[in-house]
Amino acid sequence: MNNIPRHVTIIMDGNGRWAKKQGLKRIFGHKAGVEAVRQATEYAAEKGIDYLSLFAFSEENWNRPQDEVMGLMELMVEAIAGETKTLMKNNVRFRVIGDTSKLPDRVKEKISATEEQTAPNKGLCMIVFLSYSGKWDIIQAMERYMKDDTLKNSPVNQEKFESYLSTAGIPDPDLLIRTSGEQRISNYLLWQVAYTEFYFTDVLWPDFSKTDFQKALDVFSSRERRYGKTEEQVNNLK
Ligand code: FPP
């Protein structure tokens, strides 16, 4: 296989249904989901992918029952604390993107500590989208853009606008994977997926294995990305 995507992003869906199928509470689905995160991160590093980003908690998820939200936050702290050593050992840089002002202090502190500690790592960059939504991102970018006096009275500049998105400096995803059979974007990255390839699988997130990841990479490898050009134009460039 050639053509390895530089940035793979995953909407990890189906934890609740996985738990229900086993007759367990939803939180056990999220726990099993953390193990799938570990597997996916390991595989992304093995494959030489530069960025693996994961949609872990959306703005809308704050509306879930309080015990599930708290359980997820607890799980996140545990996972981050428990995995920092492994991240260091594997040269993985860890980043969180989203409206983190809404997160409990303990979660914020754990995130900052791990971000700082892993910042010098030059291997895979693992990004966790937490308390994130695509519309929030565009609006916060717009607010900051409008405050930039150097841009006053000139036409809107796309590159400058992008530099205010929370993903500034990170290449747009080449491949977006969504598990559990749902085929929608759910207010995740909106601006950034303009030319992203989408891959949907019925596998529930806790069951998403390295073999499933490989299948997605194989499908990606077989796709032709034209960025609005004709097939002939693309072939002439090869
Ligand atoms: C979607 O399944 C999953 C989530 C909202 C949470 C995902 C979070 C984790 C797996 C923890 C990640 C931890 C780290 C450190 C990245 P769902 O609950 O919407 O499932 P359902 O659609 O079957 O109900």
Side-chain angles (χ1 to χ4, degrees):
M1 200 197 77
N2 35 50
N3 207 9
I4 293 281
R6 183 149 185 237
H7 180 176
V8 177
T9 195
I10 309 181
I11 302 182
M12 310 179 286
D13 200 4
N15 293 351
R17 276 162 284 165
W18 182 91
K20 196 172 176 192
K21 263 175 60 183
Q22 331 266 326
L24 298 169
K25 284 199 172 150
R26 296 178 56 84
I27 195 68
F28 290 98
H30 298 314
K31 278 193 182 160
V34 174
E35 183 48 41
V37 168
R38 196 175 291 123
Q39 296 283 321
T41 310
E42 221 175 82
Y43 202 57
E46 254 173 59
K47 285 282 152 184
I49 289 165
D50 290 336
Y51 296 85
L52 176 69
S53 59
L54 304 161
F55 197 16
F57 195 84
S58 71
E59 281 275 301
E60 291 78 11
N61 286 152
W62 288 114
N63 300 321
R64 288 196 175 192
Q66 204 53 18
D67 62 334
E68 183 172 344
V69 172
M70 285 304 126
L72 261 169
M73 291 297 148
E74 204 51 54
L75 204 57
M76 226 78 82
V77 174
E78 262 174 44
I80 298 168
E83 296 300 322
T84 307
K85 245 189 181 165
T86 319
L87 295 176
M88 290 308 291
K89 205 177 90 201
N90 292 293
N91 201 20
V92 176
R93 180 172 179 194
F94 175 82
R95 287 187 60 184
V96 167
I97 294 179
D99 186 3
T100 48
S101 65
K102 290 189 180 156
L103 295 170
D105 285 346
R106 253 165 19 91
V107 182
K108 276 192 275 199
E109 282 156 23
K110 198 69 241 159
I111 289 170
S112 302
T114 305
E115 281 185 329
E116 252 170 62
Q117 200 183 339
T118 62
N121 291 349
K122 295 278 179 273
L124 172 75
C125 181
M126 174 191 194
I127 302 162
V128 175
F129 283 90
L130 249 185
S131 189
Y132 179 87
S133 85
K135 289 187 181 180
W136 162 81
D137 198 3
I138 292 168
I139 288 187
Q140 70 76 31
M142 193 169 77
E143 277 170 354
R144 294 199 292 145
Y145 185 99
M146 289 190 315
K147 280 186 196 141
D148 189 334
D149 287 333
T150 65
L151 300 166
K152 284 234 163 80
N153 307 318
S154 39
V156 176
N157 177 304
Q158 184 172 318
E159 264 173 44
K160 208 63 200 164
F161 179 77
E162 282 176 336
S163 75
Y164 284 117
L165 288 170
S166 64
T167 49
I170 298 165
D172 287 343
D174 301 291
L175 171 65
L176 179 145
I177 300 171
R178 182 167 189 159
T179 58
S180 91
E182 312 292 352
Q183 303 193 1
R184 54 179 171 264
I185 197 74
S186 298
N187 202 4
Y188 184 38
L189 299 168
L190 296 178
W191 178 282
Q192 297 88 341
V193 294
Y195 281 103
T196 300
E197 295 293 327
F198 286 19
Y199 175 85
F200 299 106
T201 170
D202 288 338
V203 175
L204 302 175
W205 177 248
D207 290 329
F208 190 80
S209 64
K210 291 185 177 183
T211 311
D212 296 311
F213 202 159
Q214 184 58 57
K215 268 190 215 162
L217 295 179
D218 288 343
V219 168
F220 172 81
S221 187
S222 70
R223 300 243 181 110
E224 184 184 71
R225 304 178 79 193
R226 293 207 289 268
Y227 300 97
K229 294 200 170 101
T230 66
E231 197 178 344
E232 289 72 29
Q233 283 174 312
V234 172
N235 287 335
N236 286 341
L237 285 174
K238 275 182 188 162

